[in-house]
């Protein structure tokens, strides 16, 4: 049955999609995919980022739908993102001898905006800038208007896409020309929670994920033209289709323990693999670089494991403890039509 879903219920398929997203990003960055003239590497990486952003928007809004605890939300997000991101930034900025003027924009996650720039060693942090700016924006929205402010997110999503169309921005790193991929995930959370009625959720459940997968890849290709503008909504539809009626064999893959593990270390994988690409492991001509790839991938997973379980999880647990000391929150969502899934 479709309709209103319990926001506290764990959705195992999301771990699978998170694992798929980071594996696509890494594959696009590290592996030769097809003949170079097809430009598939960039499309594969962009597909992974679209999925990653969709999941982020979905999970953030799903949390806020259940608890309009803005301070707690910000504490949890800060504890999840800042320790590793700031450590990586500090190391990169110090090792490369970056000027002091570069530090504020990096540590405040503003370096993807016009007038700033990320140093090459951590240029992949543009996505963290988009994420953090979204966190601040959605926190302000809920802080001002309560959870009903979340209803504005689909409208903002469409406005961002309209802005992209006006600018001809197929694939951009600036927040206001990329954040519709996160906002599409926010919209999916509202659909899944029944806040936008039962009929849209029923449509999502009828979609075929096997048809949406190649369509997402196509929408992320530089030569896809106007199809690029639909990438946020295709990623949303792909993830959404598996929330309701995932084919059994696909659900088995997405819910596998190995995928859950990759999902658990995915943030560290994203941070670390990009930095290692700027190290000795990423140097040399094409033959030498690809000869080093197995070592780079192995080092990325090993360091991500150590980071996740030996470093990040301590801050995450600390953040949860601090957040739980906050004020009591009302966890009753606004009334929505439809039956519980």
């Amino acid at each position: 049955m479709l309709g209103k879903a319990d926001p506290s219920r764990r959705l195992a398929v999301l771990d699978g999609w998170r694992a798929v997203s980071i594996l696509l990003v890494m594959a696009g960055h590290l592996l030769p995919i097809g003949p170079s003239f097809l430009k598939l590497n960039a499309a594969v990486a962009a597909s992974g980022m679209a999925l990653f952003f969709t999941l982020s928007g979905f999970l953030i809004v799903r949390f806020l739908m259940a608890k309009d605890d803005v301070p707690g939300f910000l504490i949890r997000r800060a504890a999840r993102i800042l320790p590793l991101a700031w450590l990586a930034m500090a190391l990169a900025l110090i090792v490369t001898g970056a000027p002091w003027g570069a530090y504020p924009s990096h540590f405040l996650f503003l370096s993807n905006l016009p007038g700033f720039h990320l140093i090459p060693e951590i240029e992949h942090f543009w996505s963290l800038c988009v994420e953090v700016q979204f966190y601040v924006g959605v926190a302000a929205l809920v802080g001002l208007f309560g959870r009903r402010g979340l209803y504005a997110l689909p409208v903002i999503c469409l406005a961002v896409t309209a802005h992209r169309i006006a600018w001809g921005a197929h694939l951009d790193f600036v927040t206001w020309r990329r954040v519709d991929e996160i906002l599409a995930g926010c919209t999916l959370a509202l659909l899944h929670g029944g806040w936008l009625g039962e009929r849209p959720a029923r449509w999502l459940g009828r979609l075929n994920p096997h048809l949406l997968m190649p369509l997402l890849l196509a929408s992320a290709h530089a030569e896809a033209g106007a199809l690029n503008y639909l990438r946020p909504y295709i990623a949303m539809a792909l993830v959404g289709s598996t929330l309701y009626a995932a084919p059994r064999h696909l659900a088995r893959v997405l819910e596998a323990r190995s995928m859950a593990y990759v999902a658990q270390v995915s943030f560290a994988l994203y941070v670390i693999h990009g930095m290692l690409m700027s190290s000795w492991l990423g140097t040399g001509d094409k033959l030498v670089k690809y000869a080093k790839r197995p070592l780079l991938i192995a080092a990325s997973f090993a360091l991500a494991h150590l980071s996740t379980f030996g470093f990040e999880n301590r801050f995450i647990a600390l953040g949860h403890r601090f957040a739980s000391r906050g004020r009591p929150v009302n966890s009753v969502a606004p009334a929505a039509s439809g039956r519980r899934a």
Side-chain angles (χ1 to χ4, degrees), residues 148-221:
R148 293 195 180 276
L150 297 173
Y151 282 114
L153 295 176
V155 178
I156 300 172
C157 181
L158 293 172
V160 171
T161 302
H163 175 67
R164 288 176 56 215
I165 294 171
W167 274 72
H170 290 170
L171 196 66
D172 205 310
F173 296 160
V174 176
T175 301
W176 50 80
R177 291 193 288 272
R178 191 61 177 267
V179 75
D180 53 351
E181 292 184 354
I182 299 180
L183 293 168
C186 299
T187 303
L188 177 60
L190 296 174
L191 287 168
H192 186 254
W195 284 30
L196 301 180
E198 186 173 315
R199 183 174 296 178
R202 186 180 296 115
W203 290 340
L204 275 176
R206 293 173 179 171
L207 297 175
N208 186 332
H210 297 299
L211 297 179
L212 291 169
M213 289 178 193
L215 189 59
L216 176 62
L217 180 62
S219 71
H221 199 282

Side-chain angles (χ1 to χ4, degrees), residues 33-293:
I33 304 176
S36 59
F37 72 88
L38 292 178
K39 301 178 182 178
L40 293 178
N41 278 73
V44 167
S47 297
M49 280 310 311
L51 288 171
F52 186 88
F53 278 150
T54 297
L55 293 168
S56 179
F58 180 88
L59 293 169
I60 293 306
V61 167
R62 194 167 183 253
F63 172 86
L64 291 171
M65 287 164 61
K67 299 179 181 180
D68 58 349
D69 177 14
V70 173
F73 162 70
L74 291 174
I75 290 170
R76 285 180 172 89
R77 286 293 85 200
R80 180 68 187 95
I81 297 292
L82 297 186
L84 180 60
W86 275 355
L87 176 61
M89 286 180 186
L91 289 173
L93 290 166
I94 292 169
V95 169
T96 60
W100 286 108
Y103 281 67
S105 63
H106 279 73
F107 280 90
L108 293 175
F109 297 93
L110 299 174
S111 294
N112 70 318
L113 303 181
F116 301 108
H117 70 277
L118 288 158
I119 62 173
E121 289 73 16
I122 50 173
E123 62 184 0
H124 61 301
F125 277 31
W126 68 267
S127 64
L128 297 184
C129 295
V130 175
E131 286 264 346
V132 171
Q133 292 163 35
F134 163 73
Y135 298 155
V136 173
V138 76
L141 185 68
V142 175
L144 289 171
F145 302 106
R147 281 174 295 170
R148 293 195 180 276
L150 297 173
Y151 282 114
L153 295 176
V155 178
I156 300 172
C157 181
L158 293 172
V160 171
T161 302
H163 175 67
R164 288 176 56 215
I165 294 171
W167 274 72
H170 290 170
L171 196 66
D172 205 310
F173 296 160
V174 176
T175 301
W176 50 80
R177 291 193 288 272
R178 191 61 177 267
V179 75
D180 53 351
E181 292 184 354
I182 299 180
L183 293 168
C186 299
T187 303
L188 177 60
L190 296 174
L191 287 168
H192 186 254
W195 284 30
L196 301 180
E198 186 173 315
R199 183 174 296 178
R202 186 180 296 115
W203 290 340
L204 275 176
R206 293 173 179 171
L207 297 175
N208 186 332
H210 297 299
L211 297 179
L212 291 169
M213 289 178 193
L215 189 59
L216 176 62
L217 180 62
S219 71
H221 199 282
E223 305 299 327
L227 186 61
N228 277 271
Y229 302 128
L230 297 179
R231 184 175 55 254
Y233 309 101
I234 296 170
M236 177 191 77
L238 175 56
V239 174
S241 69
T242 59
L243 290 175
Y244 296 109
R248 184 173 300 178
H249 59 280
L250 179 58
R252 190 178 300 120
V253 172
L254 293 174
E255 296 175 10
R257 292 178 62 183
S258 57
M259 298 294 270
Y261 169 77
V262 174
Q264 199 168 5
V265 300
S266 60
F267 177 61
L269 273 176
Y270 185 75
V271 170
I272 291 168
H273 94 278
M275 297 183 70
L276 291 181
M277 287 172 62
S278 297
S279 72
W280 172 82
L281 289 171
T283 61
D285 59 28
K286 182 180 291 189
L287 181 61
V288 171
K289 281 197 296 186
Y290 282 122
K292 294 178 182 178
R293 282 298 191 252

